[in-house]
Amino acid sequence: MAEPDGPEDRKPPSDEAHSAFTPPLGVPQPPVPEDEQPTSEFAVPEGVSTDVPPPLPSYAQTAMLPPAFTPAEGVPILRLTKEAPWQDRMRTLLRMPVGDRPLPEIVQRHDVTGPAVPRVLDLTLRIGELLLAGGEGAEDVEAAMFAVSHAYGLERCEPNVTFTLISISHQPSLVEDPVTASRVVRRRGTDYTRLSAVFDLVDDITNEDEDVTLEEAYRRLAAIRRNRHPYPGWALTAASGVLAGSAAVLVGGDFLVFVAALIGAMLGDRLAWLCAGRGLPEFYQFVVAAMPPAAMGVALTLAGPALSWDGKPSAVITGGLFALLPGRALVAGVQDGLTGYYITAAARLLEVMYFFIAIVIGVLIVLYVGVQLNAELNPESAAPVAGQRPLVQILVSVTLSLAFAVLLQQERRTVLMVSLNGGVAWIVYAAMHDTAKISPVASTAVAAGLVGLFGQLFSRYQFSSALPYVTAAIGPLLPGSATYFGLLGIAYNELDHGLASLSKAVALALAIAVGVNLGGEISRLFLKAPGATRGSARRAAKRTRGF
């Protein structure tokens, strides 16, 4: 039984509970006219389908865009010429702000589904790993990775290279999550033949006339990894001995000094290989490799009076230092610093410092033993005589560069060119230092600049890396004599003279590295610019200051 309504339930509704335009209760409401029905200007007309087609892949959208457009501010878009090498085109893009980069021009086509992003990123990382492990500069490694990703249609890619870690990030669109992959470079090896093969692969990938699918690129990359070194182990050991012997003759030694330096360097190389097989770090390998040439020099010094020989046994130690100084890592480290990759440059230079300290320790141990045995290690006996034997010095400088090229595992077609480049470098240095009496640092810088200039031009002609044409050619310019003088001064407890000579050696090494980099930059000034419109000039490296 329902309860009766209370007093509150029987109250009439207030005036605020209804509107004056509301019909009274019990009166039917009139129909709303059709012309007064609420409509929207965004309503879909009748007969029009509301199904949205799936979005096209990014590479297909890129292909449908017009060839060029003008931004709102009126600056024309960057148009890269096809005639410029891919290194210049990609380096130009890397040095531009991300928002100013043009869309990639797809070189290697795909099916309707688009490129396989994980496989393209993996291929890019594997190529970058081989280049970085071969000693290539960080900027050139990033340029190669950028070229591969753009050729396969991946836009908005950002490669990043450090000393041991390389990574690349790809963002499909502004509303999608980026895909990032990385790879660690744990082992490094000196094989410029493999380096040139990787450059050829990147050049074919970026070439419109070549059809290189992902499967073909992986196959070629695997073949590059499996290829054996062009020179056997005994040839590398012999090249190390020839390099040391040529350097000993370059600083004033005779035939006996050449033979002693050759034997000492070969023994040091074999001992270093033995230590490497036992798993010892490279630091101890350099310590062991530096001891036999120094021991040969001390032995010749002690046996000189008994044999009535007035040669220069100290040149044996100097020649051994030429064969051990890490000129390749020094040039790469300074190049990374000059191009704005400071983390990688600091790591490379720290590696050079460790190697140099290892060489110092190995030589100083032997020199201290020689001092205790009353060996007359006169620093002046190892100094080259200015103006004497110019033809012999030119010949041995060419031989030194040739042996250095073999040690670097260069292709046979590049050995002759780099040897001649090394001979030209020594001629320029000797003409400026011995004849014109210019300071050795300035002479070394100018000679190294010519090496970098010619090496860059040779690499452009061959469409390959500049390292095979540069690294071996700086061999005659390495500061072996200054390093030996510094170590000898420390062994005789003459710290002032020793530290002064070591400081000179550091200055000469930096002059070589800066000269090589400056020569390469100067060569690009005379080459065709990689862009055809305003704003396409080659930008400088990244700046961290406000100017």
Side-chain angles (χ1 to χ4, degrees), residues 113-483:
T113 59
V117 174
R119 296 195 66 191
V120 173
L121 296 182
D122 179 70
L123 176 67
T124 303
L125 288 176
R126 291 177 182 273
I127 290 177
E129 178 191 11
L130 286 180
L131 293 177
L132 187 62
E136 194 65 61
E139 187 180 34
D140 293 327
V141 175
E142 285 193 1
M145 296 172 64
F146 209 68
V148 174
S149 61
H150 270 218
Y152 284 106
L154 298 187
E155 55 179 314
R156 288 184 290 273
C157 284
E158 283 295 330
N160 185 26
V161 175
T162 59
F163 186 58
T164 57
L165 178 67
I166 58 176
S167 62
I168 185 169
S169 178
H170 166 63
Q171 189 172 12
S173 66
L174 297 178
V175 296
E176 297 183 60
D177 295 332
V179 180
T180 303
S182 61
R183 198 172 184 89
V184 178
V185 180
R186 302 188 183 277
R187 296 186 61 184
R188 290 176 178 81
T190 305
D191 190 346
Y192 282 177
T193 300
R194 178 178 296 176
L195 192 69
S196 299
V198 176
F199 263 77
D200 291 339
L201 174 59
V202 177
D203 184 66
D204 290 341
I205 291 176
T206 56
N207 191 355
E208 292 184 347
D209 299 331
E210 298 288 340
D211 185 14
V212 183
T213 61
L214 283 174
E215 289 73 15
E216 176 67 16
Y218 269 106
R219 187 192 64 79
R220 291 180 57 177
L221 197 61
I224 292 173
R225 287 179 175 274
R226 288 194 303 266
N227 279 348
R228 300 179 62 87
H229 298 306
Y231 306 103
W234 64 266
L236 300 181
T237 302
S240 178
V242 172
L243 192 157
S246 301
V249 176
L250 191 65
V251 296
D254 53 11
F255 180 74
L256 181 59
V257 170
F258 174 85
V259 175
L262 184 144
I263 296 175
M266 292 175 65
L267 289 176
D269 181 80
R270 286 293 91 190
L271 288 177
W273 275 102
L274 181 62
C275 294
R278 298 291 181 177
L280 289 178
E282 282 188 292
F283 180 86
Y284 302 105
Q285 298 177 27
F286 272 82
V287 172
V288 172
M291 297 177 70
M296 294 293 295
V298 172
L300 282 182
T301 303
L302 294 174
L307 300 176
S308 299
W309 177 65
D310 57 351
K312 296 180 178 179
S314 298
V316 177
I317 305 176
T318 305
L321 292 175
F322 269 85
L324 294 175
L325 291 177
R328 174 179 59 87
L330 175 66
V331 172
V334 174
Q335 179 183 357
D336 288 341
L338 294 177
T339 52
Y341 296 84
Y342 301 113
I343 297 178
T344 307
R348 289 185 190 271
L349 293 178
L350 184 62
E351 181 187 38
V352 171
M353 186 188 71
Y354 272 105
F355 290 163
F356 188 77
I357 292 174
I359 297 170
V360 168
I361 293 174
V363 175
L364 276 180
I365 292 175
V366 179
L367 290 183
Y368 275 126
V369 174
V371 170
Q372 297 301 320
L373 296 176
N374 298 322
E376 297 180 358
L377 300 171
N378 185 10
E380 300 298 330
S381 64
V385 181
Q388 290 189 3
R389 307 188 305 172
L391 295 180
V392 175
Q393 290 183 338
I394 294 173
L395 179 61
V396 295
S397 65
V398 173
T399 307
L400 190 154
S401 300
L402 189 148
F404 207 168
V406 174
L407 278 178
L408 295 174
Q409 301 278 3
Q410 292 190 194
E411 293 179 295
R412 291 179 175 86
R413 62 184 178 85
T414 65
V415 170
L416 177 60
M417 198 67 68
V418 73
S419 302
L420 297 178
N421 199 10
V424 172
W426 177 257
I427 291 174
V428 173
Y429 170 80
M432 295 182 64
H433 178 57
D434 297 339
T435 305
K437 305 301 181 183
I438 301 176
S439 67
V441 176
S443 304
T444 301
V446 173
L450 288 178
V451 169
L453 175 63
F454 293 152
Q456 194 66 235
L457 294 178
F458 291 151
S459 67
R460 296 306 179 88
Y461 178 74
Q462 297 290 338
F463 297 99
S464 63
S465 173
L467 285 181
Y469 300 96
V470 170
T471 307
I474 65 173
L477 304 176
L478 293 176
S481 299
T483 304

Side-chain angles (χ1 to χ4, degrees), residues 50-71:
T50 58
D51 297 335
V52 180
L56 295 175
S58 59
Y59 79 98
Q61 298 176 10
T62 302
M64 296 173 60
L65 290 176
F69 67 94
T70 302

